[in-house]
């Protein structure tokens, strides 16, 4: 996959045949391209083999840089074991499954890390848009599925996403909402065992959470370490 990206030009679409690809540190090199599978996420797997991060988005990519239709699994890294997005870089992810990624130890970041990669490090402009994407069985310390602590004018978005079976110390599903839009999503069977004990932890910002379902999570829905408002509209909470 990296070889195909390297050979591509801005505006290209890279189509990937079904199969399992064992790769780490895939980098778009700042290109606005679409990386899409031919046969969907169930049949097209990028496996990190527990050897490191899978995607590294750090070279000024835009939302026109897209990943569509992959399972992204078995990444292992302290910061963004599946995908890291920093340094005024942006990414769109559609129809993907992000699963079984791990950030071992303490002070580590979630499977998808946006904008801030280590304690006391710089917050950078960055954002990501996730559509119809599942985050399943990921683990980390600060967030399990998503760590979102960017600065900048662009909002991250999570639309029609599933968060299931994720386990984090602070924030079972999402740590650090900033001004994210979370809409039409399902949070099921996630677990947080830290002092905040929450599925979503707002560390500063005005997120909008709407038309979403929180079911059978062993955590509170929301923890807020901020004076900013969190908007929750038309949501359902059962057995949390």
């Amino acid at each position: 996959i990296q070889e195909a990206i390297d050979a591509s030009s801005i505006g290209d679409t890279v189509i990937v045949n079904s199969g399992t690809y064992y790769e780490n540190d895939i980098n778009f090199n700042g290109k606005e391209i679409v990386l899409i599978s031919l046969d969907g996420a169930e049949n097209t797997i990028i496996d990190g083999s527990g050897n490191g991060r899978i995607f590294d988005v750090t070279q000024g990519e835009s939302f026109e840089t897209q990943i569509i239709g992959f399972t992204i699994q078995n990444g292992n890294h302290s910061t963004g074991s599946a995908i890291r997005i920093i340094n005024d870089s942006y990414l769109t992810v559609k129809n993907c499954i992000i699963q079984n990624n791990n950030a071992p130890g303490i002070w580590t970041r979630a499977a998808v890390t946006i904008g801030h990669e280590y304690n006391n490090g710089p917050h950078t402009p960055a954002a990501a848009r996730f559509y119809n994407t599942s985050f399943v069985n990921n683990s980390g310390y600060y967030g399990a599925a998503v760590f979102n602590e960017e600065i900048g004018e662009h909002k991250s978005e999570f639309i029609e996403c599933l968060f299931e079976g994720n386990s984090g110390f602070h924030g079972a599903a999402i740590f650090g909402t900033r001004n994210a839009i979370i809409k039409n999503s399902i949070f099921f069977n996630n677990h947080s065992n830290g002092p905040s004990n929450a599925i979503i932890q707002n560390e500063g910002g005005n997120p909008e959470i709407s038309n979403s379902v929180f079911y059978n999570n062993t955590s509170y829905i929301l923890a807020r370490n901020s004076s900013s408002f969190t908007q929750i509209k038309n949501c359902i909470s059962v057995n949390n």
Side-chain angles (χ1 to χ4, degrees):
I1 292 173
Q2 184 65 67
E3 290 179 2
I5 292 172
D6 291 344
S8 70
S9 299
I10 293 172
D12 282 352
T13 296
V14 176
I15 302 173
V16 180
N17 286 324
S18 61
T20 300
Y21 300 82
Y22 297 96
E23 299 194 36
N24 298 98
D25 294 316
I26 298 171
N27 195 316
F28 289 97
N29 299 311
K31 297 177 183 177
E32 293 181 343
I33 64 171
V34 176
L35 180 69
I36 187 170
S37 70
L38 185 64
D39 294 313
E42 293 80 4
N43 300 300
T44 318
I45 299 166
I46 306 175
D47 195 309
S49 304
N51 291 329
R53 182 184 295 119
I54 299 174
F55 280 96
D56 205 17
V57 183
T58 65
Q59 304 298 316
E61 291 82 359
S62 78
F63 287 122
E64 297 304 312
T65 304
Q66 301 183 53
I67 301 171
I68 304 174
F70 292 89
T71 294
I72 303 168
Q73 68 180 29
N74 295 331
N76 189 297
H77 198 281
S78 62
T79 302
S81 51
I83 308 172
R84 177 177 68 162
I85 309 160
I86 58 171
N87 298 342
D88 205 10
S89 301
Y90 304 89
L91 180 68
T92 299
V93 178
K94 301 177 182 177
N95 308 332
C96 286
I97 302 168
I98 299 173
Q99 67 179 15
N100 301 330
N101 299 285
N102 183 38
I106 62 172
W107 319 124
T108 60
R109 272 45 175 169
V112 174
T113 294
I114 306 170
H116 183 236
E117 57 179 333
Y118 56 89
N119 277 2
N120 302 316
H123 292 259
T124 65
R129 295 171 178 169
F130 291 89
Y131 303 108
N132 191 34
T133 289
S134 296
F135 300 82
V136 181
N137 294 335
N138 300 289
S139 62
Y141 188 87
Y142 287 116
V146 177
F147 178 94
N148 182 40
E149 280 290 290
E150 90 289 341
I151 58 172
E153 61 183 85
H154 296 292
K155 299 179 180 181
S156 290
E157 298 181 1
F158 305 90
I159 310 297
E160 296 181 349
C161 290
L162 169 67
F163 295 82
E164 179 180 356
N166 301 287
S167 180
F169 188 72
H170 294 291
I174 301 175
F175 179 95
T177 55
R178 295 298 179 179
N179 297 321
I181 296 172
I182 302 166
K183 184 177 181 181
N184 298 341
S185 293
I186 297 172
F187 296 80
F188 171 69
N189 198 30
N190 300 286
H191 174 68
S192 173
N193 59 356
S196 62
N197 190 26
I199 303 164
I200 298 173
Q201 184 155 336
N202 178 4
E203 289 289 305
N206 299 102
E208 300 176 19
I209 306 170
S210 64
N211 303 323
S212 294
V213 175
F214 298 83
Y215 174 65
N216 205 40
N217 301 281
T218 56
S219 307
Y220 299 110
I221 292 176
L222 178 73
R224 186 166 63 96
N225 185 20
S226 168
S227 59
S228 301
F229 290 105
T230 298
Q231 300 181 55
I232 302 177
K233 299 183 289 186
N234 302 324
C235 291
I236 297 172
S237 173
V238 178
N239 197 34
N240 298 294

